[in-house]
Amino acid sequence: MEPKGNSTGSRPDQAQPHSGGEQTDGEIKRALVAAEDARAEATAAIRERDAMAAELRSGRGGRWRAEAVSLRAKLEEAETRLARLDAETLEGRLAAAEEPQTKVTALAEELRVANEELQAQGEELARANDALSRVNQELERRVVERTAELAEANAMLRASTDTMPHLVWSSRPGGAWHYANRRWTEYTGQTAEEAAGFGWLDPVHPEDRGPVLEAWRVAVACRELRVEHRLRGRDGSYERFETRGLPLRGRDGSSELWFGTSTNVEQARRGEAALRESEARFRDFAEATADVLWVVDAETRRLEYLSPAFEAVWGVPRAEVMDDLGRWAEMLHPEDRARVLEAFPTTLTGGRVDTEYRIVRPADGQVRWVRDLGFPVRDAKGRVRRVAGLARDVTARKEAEAAQRLLLRELNHRVKNTLASVQSIAAQTARGSEAADFRTAFQARLAALAAAHDLLTRQAWQGVPLAEVVHRTLAPHAGREAGADRVSAKGPGVWLRPEAAIALHLALHELATNAAKYGALSAPGGRVEVMWRTTSPGDLLEVHWRERGGPPVRPPARRGFGSRLLERGLALQFGAKAELSFASEGVEYRLRAPLSAGLGQTG
């Protein structure tokens, strides 16, 4: 007889595996869920590890230690949870379930691999922690070294600022000082402590304090301080200083400190004032003088200055040559250009030039003479920086020298002619004369010659009017009687050249002397008429001498010096026709000479 309730015919112990299997399936599911959670946590831990390693490599390890602690806690929790899952129990249970067994095995393998990775990550984190510790130690060592170097640099900076000739200071924005070097104290007598804040304003001249503070206000906005002011020294005197400052920017762009210097510019300003005064005097002189002052830059060879006198001498505006010296060279006389252009470059090597040359004025073509003196202008090192010069118009001097040379040639010629005349007069007078008569006649003729020379000298040997020659020659004879009508002279204006004036004066002297001795002027009531005229169109001069009222005239037994001079001397000298007649009523002399032959010209 079979037991009740076993209608299926199965064994009683076969139901146990069924209920046990249901319980196993539930545990497996829970195990799988726990495994999945562990795997997820492991995966997250791995990701966090990779992220932390990346941060470590990039140098951003600020939260590293905290992250490492958190990660280690997570790993320990994952290991604890994994420890709760007994691998052998899990495998036993999985063995009861044929289908999930493979999954559980794979899961166990994954858990094992994850556990190994977590262990490896822990070891890596430990090594990273050691490396970070070493880095921190190195950083601390470097900070100590840099701090020491910075302290040394600050000490060197202070020492260098103390040795500088400038007054060095540092300040907060707006001008509140917190440092002043030793030079500040040496010059002003104010200590660095006294200068702190705005104490440095005390040595500043009261009239300059406002402008200095205003300059500070502007400097904060424009990022640069530059102001000139007066500063009081230990002796109480004020001198001009130029103060400059710049901000020291921080890494964030802020400006917390200003550094600057105050430099004594009193001597420089005095020098500048003296230079301006000197330049003003130079310009006043250059603009007042008739000489041309010029200055050329030795390097660029361009004119830096040209005085106004240039326009008066060269006849062109200064602007034409200021930018182009070639224009000046074009105005040089062609015959002088090469010589002048070759001479002036020697001044660039330290030489001096003193030369005279001609220029051709473009405006009127006038040729003028210029004396130009060029000399180098050197700097403190002896280098030629500029070439300057003084040009003077010497045309008048050149013309005077030419006239002087001409006069000297003329004088030489006239002296020779005079000596020849004296020699001829002496020889002609000596012929047929007794010794006593020779002396008297010779002296008289020399006096006549001297009178002719005196007459010409008064006219600078440029010639003399014929009327003056006649009047001067006959004046001594006309004055012997109270009536001046004994001698008359009449004729047009004729200008005699020096040679003709001397010859006619000697001729008239011979006629007058003869008339005074033997002719009309030797008797009371006798007269002498001298007339001259020029024929049309003025090429021929006719001179007529006529005596009346004197004793009867007899021709001379022999021809003396006077006759030869009158008849042949003038004829030969001027290509003239001369006629001397001894009519009984009085001596007459006619001379016809061409003016073009050197006798003179009508005036």
Side-chain angles (χ1 to χ4, degrees):
M1 191 166 123
E2 295 179 355
K4 293 182 179 181
N6 190 15
S7 60
T8 59
S10 59
R11 294 173 54 183
D13 56 354
Q14 290 178 343
Q16 295 297 327
H18 178 71
S19 61
E22 294 177 354
Q23 183 179 1
T24 302
D25 290 339
E27 293 178 355
I28 291 173
K29 290 180 181 180
R30 289 192 295 272
L32 290 174
V33 171
E36 287 294 335
D37 292 341
R39 184 172 61 182
E41 291 179 359
T43 302
I46 292 173
R47 290 176 179 172
E48 290 182 5
R49 179 205 63 186
D50 294 339
M52 183 164 44
E55 288 185 0
L56 185 61
R57 287 192 298 272
S58 64
R60 298 190 304 272
R63 296 182 299 113
W64 191 86
R65 292 184 179 274
E67 294 290 344
V69 172
S70 176
L71 183 58
R72 183 174 296 277
K74 290 180 180 181
L75 288 175
E76 291 176 353
E77 183 181 356
E79 290 175 353
T80 302
R81 295 179 63 182
L82 288 175
R84 293 175 184 171
L85 296 176
D86 189 354
E88 294 181 357
T89 303
L90 185 59
E91 290 177 359
R93 293 179 179 179
L94 289 175
E98 295 178 357
E99 293 181 0
Q101 183 176 2
T102 303
K103 294 182 179 179
V104 172
T105 304
L107 181 59
E109 181 63 22
E110 290 179 3
L111 291 175
R112 184 184 63 79
V113 172
N115 186 37
E116 292 177 353
E117 290 181 353
L118 289 175
Q119 292 178 352
Q121 185 179 15
E123 294 174 356
E124 184 177 352
L125 289 175
R127 289 193 297 271
N129 187 33
D130 293 339
L132 182 60
S133 178
R134 290 192 296 274
V135 169
N136 287 337
Q137 294 176 358
E138 178 66 19
L139 289 176
E140 291 176 357
R141 184 185 64 80
R142 292 187 179 182
V143 166
V144 172
E145 291 179 353
R146 293 294 294 170
T147 302
E149 292 174 357
L150 182 59
E152 183 179 358
N154 287 336
M156 292 178 62
L157 178 61
R158 287 180 178 272
S160 62
T161 58
D162 285 341
T163 59
M164 292 176 64
H166 307 283
L167 314 183
V168 183
W169 48 265
S170 62
S171 170
R172 296 294 179 185
W177 285 16
H178 65 81
Y179 169 74
N181 72 339
R182 187 175 63 186
R183 295 300 180 191
W184 172 270
T185 302
E186 291 176 353
Y187 181 78
T188 65
Q190 187 184 57
T191 65
E193 291 76 13
E194 293 171 339
F198 288 93
W200 57 271
L201 276 172
D202 179 65
V204 176
H205 194 283
E207 296 178 0
D208 297 340
R209 292 171 187 171
V212 170
L213 290 177
E214 176 62 20
W216 261 111
R217 187 188 65 78
V218 175
V220 173
C222 68
R223 320 297 297 172
E224 181 179 3
L225 173 67
R226 184 170 183 177
V227 63
E228 190 168 307
H229 57 85
R230 287 164 290 180
L231 194 64
R232 186 182 65 240
R234 283 179 176 269
D235 59 357
S237 63
Y238 286 90
E239 292 187 350
R240 301 201 70 84
F241 276 73
E242 184 180 49
T243 295
R244 292 187 178 189
L246 291 173
L248 178 62
R249 298 177 182 272
R251 292 185 178 180
D252 58 353
S254 63
S255 302
E256 296 185 357
L257 285 179
W258 283 66
F259 288 90
T261 61
S262 296
T263 304
N264 192 328
V265 294
E266 181 70 24
Q267 294 300 324
R269 295 297 178 266
R270 290 179 182 176
E272 291 171 359
L275 179 60
R276 287 192 298 269
E277 183 179 353
S278 175
E279 289 178 348
R281 288 197 301 267
F282 169 78
R283 290 185 182 276
D284 290 343
F285 168 76
E287 293 176 4
T289 181
D291 296 333
V292 180
L293 277 72
W294 53 268
V295 180
V296 174
D297 186 284
E299 184 176 356
T300 63
R301 302 196 179 187
R302 296 173 67 91
L303 273 169
E304 289 185 348
Y305 179 77
L306 189 62
S307 67
F310 174 84
E311 298 180 356
V313 178
W314 268 260
V316 296
R318 287 180 289 173
E320 288 193 16
V321 297
M322 283 299 295
D323 296 328
D324 184 12
L325 274 176
R327 177 69 176 130
W328 168 79
E330 292 174 359
M331 290 184 282
L332 294 172
H333 194 283
E335 295 179 3
D336 299 339
R337 184 177 296 133
R339 171 177 59 84
V340 174
L341 295 181
E342 182 180 355
F344 272 95
T346 59
T347 58
L348 298 175
T349 57
R352 297 174 67 91
V353 173
D354 188 356
T355 184
E356 293 182 351
Y357 54 85
R358 291 164 291 176
I359 62 170
V360 182
R361 291 163 53 104
D364 52 18
Q366 184 181 5
V367 176
R368 303 194 70 83
W369 276 94
V370 174
R371 181 187 178 186
D372 212 336
L373 174 64
F375 52 89
V377 179
R378 304 176 185 272
D379 61 12
K381 296 182 179 179
R383 295 172 296 189
V384 178
R385 289 302 188 187
R386 291 175 179 81
V387 176
L390 185 69
R392 175 174 295 177
D393 186 347
V394 294
T395 305
R397 192 201 76 195
K398 284 289 186 180
E399 292 176 350
E401 290 176 352
Q404 185 181 34
R405 289 192 295 270
L406 178 62
L407 287 175
L408 288 174
R409 289 196 297 269
E410 184 70 17
L411 178 62
N412 183 50
H413 175 69
R414 295 192 190 287
V415 168
K416 290 180 179 179
N417 288 343
T418 301
L419 292 175
S421 299
V422 170
Q423 184 180 10
S424 175
I425 291 172
Q428 295 294 332
T429 303
R431 292 174 61 182
S433 298
E434 297 296 333
D437 295 336
F438 168 79
R439 180 177 180 180
T440 302
F442 183 64
Q443 286 179 345
R445 286 165 181 162
L446 284 182
L449 181 63
H453 277 253
D454 181 63
L455 184 62
L456 287 170
T457 301
R458 294 184 180 184
Q459 298 291 337
W461 282 82
Q462 296 299 314
V464 65
L466 174 58
E468 188 172 351
V469 173
V470 174
H471 288 302
R472 290 290 298 274
T473 307
L474 300 180
H477 304 285
R480 289 186 177 183
E481 297 289 339
D485 57 349
R486 298 190 66 191
V487 176
S488 65
K490 184 179 181 180
V494 176
W495 188 268
L496 297 178
R497 293 185 176 88
E499 295 86 355
I502 293 175
L504 282 176
H505 178 73
L506 291 175
L508 292 174
H509 170 74
E510 292 297 326
L511 289 169
T513 300
N514 186 73
K517 287 182 176 182
Y518 312 109
L521 297 180
S522 65
R527 303 189 315 276
V528 173
E529 297 176 351
V530 181
M531 299 169 289
W532 64 92
R533 67 188 181 92
T534 58
T535 61
S536 180
D539 291 338
L540 189 66
L541 173 65
E542 295 183 358
V543 180
H544 185 199
W545 172 284
R546 188 175 67 175
E547 299 180 21
R548 289 293 183 266
V553 176
R554 292 180 300 175
R558 60 181 182 83
R559 300 287 186 176
F561 170 77
S563 298
R564 289 190 294 271
L565 174 63
L566 293 170
E567 292 179 321
R568 289 183 291 179
L570 295 179
L572 292 174
Q573 185 173 358
F574 301 112
K577 293 181 179 180
E579 180 182 351
L580 179 62
S581 64
F582 295 94
S584 60
E585 62 271 18
V587 176
E588 292 190 24
Y589 176 72
R590 294 179 183 273
L591 177 70
R592 297 180 182 87
L595 294 173
S596 59
L599 191 64
Q601 59 184 8
T602 58

